[in-house]
Amino acid sequence: MDNNRPIGVFDSGIGGLSVLRQLIRYLPHERYVYLGDSARVPYGNKSSETVRRYGRECSEFLMEHDVKLIVVACNTASAVAMEAVEQIAVDIPVIGVIHPAAAAAIRATSNGRIGVIGTRATVSSEAYSKDIFRQVKDDNIHVYSHACPLFMPIVEEGWVDHPATRIIAEDYLKSLKQQDIDTLVLGCTHYPLLSQLLAELMPGVHLIDSGEHASKTALQLLADRNMLCGEKNEYSAKPQIDFFVTDIPSIFNRLAGDFLGFAVNSPKKITLDTV
Amino acid sequence: MDNNRPIGVFDSGIGGLSVLRQLIRYLPHERYVYLGDSARVPYGNKSSETVRRYGRECSEFLMEHDVKLIVVACNTASAVAMEAVEQIAVDIPVIGVIHPAAAAAIRATSNGRIGVIGTRATVSSEAYSKDIFRQVKDDNIHVYSHACPLFMPIVEEGWVDHPATRIIAEDYLKSLKQQDIDTLVLGCTHYPLLSQLLAELMPGVHLIDSGEHASKTALQLLADRNMLCGEKNEYSAKPQIDFFVTDIPSIFNRLAGDFLGFAVNSPKKITLDTV
């Protein structure tokens, strides 16, 4: 086992860069292979069957790059395609963004009232509430979900501070406020970019960033298995990322830096589609 | 030449159903094969190269169904992939949604000030202004474009009457109002569903529905070439449509009827992706 092998990360597009940002924060000395399936983005409006196929194809690509861990940096794929990815990964560990965030929400809540926001696909999958109730059998835990399909395009429009965004957010969060939640899972990799507004609208509520908790889980798993990268990079060096996409749309140049926290080198374009 | 062959229509998803609605209005006696490439929707955030590949694949599928005409019912594909589709179609005529709407805008304007709204991809392609200036060499014609990336997800959210939608629309239309346009091209197949709000916000401005004008062009082309369908269906009968999609997401059940004006039979799911 070569611990210097990279960590593989995939998402439907640029959203997973907010997860990669957290991975780099917790695991700055690792190498990364990131794949954004931007030719077919978003996954959130596709059927489960189609997302599973896409998840398999992304994982096969990462496996060809000899990764030591696969991080499914996409809530939709984490909701419906974990088993499909695990089948491709065989004995390589796989971490999704849902289970770690569900565990973090259970730890964070005091009153047992947890909110979840995400795309329509993630919310209809009920993946977060199912995961939470697999972890705790507790009648005092309640999960309230609300789909927020406009948050993703708003972030991509760069309208984080627009007056319309506040009105939309107030509308989306109304029912969760009424349920008196004390913990809110940001169940979409775009939502951390809205966390300032969400914190303002939900004062005193714990915001759970799914990418952050997936990254903590990755750190713990690699440490437990003695799989952390041996060679330490210089702190001043940029993290080493091989960056692949299935399409290079203009949004990459506009937004990749906002998601990742630093400028991205030009990604390599690859083709994944299969017959 | 068998005039009873169907008209082939394709789009990235359900948006093209607003074009099919207009085709059925102007050509109620035709048979239709509709393909929605919903496994890869939307095209508006993909690169031109990728959209051309998708356009070729959709056209090949329609050609296999022995169509007599291809209608590219998608502004993005009409902006960047007309030649790619024509190469596949060989001697079958191809109609996009841009050229007919550009011609209609030229006819409609009195003060020569034409506005165009669409996705970011359509607007950056400058396809409408280029087409307009290919049709008229007139220094008195001015085209002002504005990308409205949030209109599509708003329509898909069903928030046509939401207070936030009015704020967003006012923001998007502000610069076009300042330019004193008298004609506004709805350069996205989702936008006809917002036409009531747009008409309210732009009083006295001619709204150009690109699907409607593509359909008038299709009627004229088929009539000129004696290619209209011979057998007339009963008026009471539903139009005959073979409906194919590359994915069946929940949005079809929710919204297809709103775009098309009547309920859709279950579409057949096919796979287009190529190596």
Side-chain angles (χ1 to χ4, degrees):
Chain A
M1 282 287 259
D2 177 5
N3 287 341
N4 291 324
R5 289 179 302 160
I7 296 173
V9 183
F10 81 87
D11 175 44
S12 56
I14 61 164
L17 294 178
S18 76
V19 180
L20 183 58
R21 177 184 204 154
Q22 296 288 344
L23 281 164
I24 291 165
R25 191 175 148 211
Y26 287 93
L27 289 158
H29 306 305
E30 299 290 330
R31 291 170 52 215
Y32 294 93
V33 176
Y34 183 92
L35 172 61
D37 190 10
S38 38
R40 307 189 289 198
V41 70
Y43 286 179
N45 61 358
K46 311 286 150 69
S47 69
S48 303
E49 186 195 339
T50 294
V51 172
R52 274 191 287 275
R53 175 160 67 90
Y54 292 171
R56 275 193 298 271
E57 291 168 4
C58 289
S59 312
E60 279 162 2
F61 176 84
L62 294 176
M63 291 300 285
E64 286 164 14
H65 284 73
D66 194 25
V67 297
K68 63 179 177 185
L69 165 69
I70 291 179
V71 177
V72 182
C74 167
N75 277 273
T76 306
S78 297
V80 302
M82 285 299 285
E83 278 182 33
V85 172
E86 280 161 355
Q87 277 167 16
I88 302 296
V90 194
D91 50 1
I92 299 295
V94 179
I95 293 174
V97 284
I98 289 179
H99 180 72
I106 295 167
R107 286 194 303 273
T109 186
S110 304
N111 70 2
R113 306 177 79 80
I114 298 169
V116 177
I117 53 175
T119 63
R120 203 182 289 280
T122 300
V123 167
S124 359
S125 74
E126 298 180 16
Y128 276 100
S129 55
K130 284 179 190 161
D131 199 295
I132 286 169
F133 292 118
R134 266 196 299 270
Q135 294 186 49
V136 285
K137 309 279 177 224
D138 184 343
D139 288 345
N140 296 317
I141 297 275
H142 302 277
V143 181
Y144 306 95
S145 304
H146 199 87
C148 306
L150 289 171
F151 277 170
M152 185 187 292
I154 282 170
V155 167
E156 298 196 348
E157 180 70 320
W159 278 18
V160 166
D161 298 321
H162 195 278
T165 306
R166 183 174 283 265
I167 295 175
I168 290 168
E170 280 168 349
D171 191 319
Y172 280 150
L173 297 173
K174 198 165 51 191
S175 65
L176 297 176
K177 261 182 183 294
Q178 285 165 356
Q179 296 297 350
D180 191 28
I181 58 165
D182 74 348
T183 302
L184 178 61
V185 179
L186 310 188
C188 170
T189 54
H190 279 60
Y191 297 180
L193 283 82
L194 290 168
S195 53
Q196 197 177 331
L197 173 64
L198 298 173
E200 249 179 69
L201 295 177
M202 304 294 276
V205 169
H206 300 283
L207 299 187
I208 306 290
D209 175 337
S210 58
E212 179 175 10
H213 294 284
S215 301
K216 286 184 187 172
T217 300
L219 169 59
Q220 191 165 0
L221 182 146
L222 293 180
D224 286 352
R225 300 191 185 190
N226 293 314
M227 284 170 66
L228 287 165
C229 183
E231 295 170 25
K232 298 221 163 183
N233 299 325
E234 292 297 320
Y235 272 107
S236 61
K238 270 197 180 177
Q240 194 185 332
I241 310 168
D242 283 325
F243 196 53
F244 298 92
V245 291
T246 53
D247 187 29
I248 304 182
S250 62
I251 192 174
F252 269 86
N253 305 323
R254 268 196 307 120
L255 288 184
D258 289 351
F259 278 80
L260 193 51
F262 54 85
V264 177
N265 292 333
S266 284
K268 295 186 198 87
K269 184 165 170 280
I270 54 134
T271 301
L272 281 182
D273 301 10
T274 52
V275 178
Chain B
M1 281 288 260
D2 176 4
N3 286 343
N4 291 324
R5 288 180 302 161
I7 296 173
V9 183
F10 81 87
D11 175 44
S12 56
I14 60 166
L17 293 177
S18 77
V19 179
L20 183 58
R21 178 184 202 154
Q22 296 287 345
L23 281 164
I24 291 166
R25 190 175 150 212
Y26 286 93
L27 290 157
H29 306 304
E30 298 290 330
R31 291 170 52 216
Y32 294 93
V33 176
Y34 182 92
L35 172 61
D37 189 10
S38 38
R40 307 190 289 199
V41 70
Y43 286 178
N45 61 357
K46 309 286 150 68
S47 68
S48 303
E49 185 196 339
T50 294
V51 172
R52 274 192 286 275
R53 175 161 67 92
Y54 292 172
R56 276 193 298 272
E57 291 168 3
C58 289
S59 311
E60 279 162 2
F61 176 85
L62 294 175
M63 291 301 283
E64 286 164 15
H65 284 74
D66 194 26
V67 296
K68 65 179 176 183
L69 166 69
I70 291 180
V71 177
V72 182
C74 167
N75 276 274
T76 306
S78 297
V80 302
M82 286 299 285
E83 278 182 32
V85 172
E86 281 161 355
Q87 276 166 17
I88 303 295
V90 193
D91 51 0
I92 299 295
V94 178
I95 293 175
V97 284
I98 289 179
H99 180 73
I106 294 166
R107 288 193 302 273
T109 187
S110 304
N111 70 2
R113 306 178 79 80
I114 298 170
V116 177
I117 53 175
T119 63
R120 202 181 290 279
T122 301
V123 167
S124 355
S125 74
E126 298 180 14
Y128 276 99
S129 56
K130 284 178 189 161
D131 199 296
I132 286 168
F133 291 117
R134 266 195 299 269
Q135 294 185 49
V136 285
K137 308 278 177 226
D138 184 342
D139 289 344
N140 296 317
I141 296 275
H142 302 276
V143 181
Y144 305 95
S145 303
H146 200 87
C148 307
L150 289 171
F151 277 172
M152 184 187 292
I154 281 170
V155 167
E156 297 196 349
E157 180 70 320
W159 279 18
V160 165
D161 298 320
H162 195 279
T165 306
R166 181 175 285 263
I167 295 175
I168 291 168
E170 280 169 349
D171 190 319
Y172 280 149
L173 298 173
K174 197 166 51 191
S175 65
L176 297 176
K177 262 183 182 297
Q178 284 166 356
Q179 296 297 350
D180 190 30
I181 59 164
D182 73 347
T183 302
L184 178 62
V185 178
L186 310 187
C188 171
T189 55
H190 279 59
Y191 298 180
L193 282 82
L194 289 168
S195 53
Q196 197 177 333
L197 173 63
L198 297 174
E200 249 178 69
L201 295 177
M202 304 293 275
V205 169
H206 300 282
L207 299 186
I208 306 290
D209 176 338
S210 58
E212 179 175 10
H213 294 283
S215 302
K216 287 184 186 171
T217 301
L219 169 59
Q220 191 165 359
L221 181 147
L222 293 180
D224 286 352
R225 300 190 185 189
N226 293 314
M227 284 170 67
L228 287 165
C229 183
E231 297 169 22
K232 298 221 165 185
N233 299 324
E234 292 297 320
Y235 273 107
S236 61
K238 270 198 181 178
Q240 195 186 331
I241 310 168
D242 284 324
F243 195 55
F244 298 92
V245 291
T246 53
D247 187 30
I248 306 183
S250 61
I251 192 173
F252 268 87
N253 304 323
R254 270 195 306 121
L255 288 184
D258 289 352
F259 278 80
L260 195 50
F262 54 85
V264 176
N265 292 334
S266 284
K268 294 186 198 85
K269 183 166 170 281
I270 54 133
T271 301
L272 280 182
D273 302 10
T274 52
V275 177

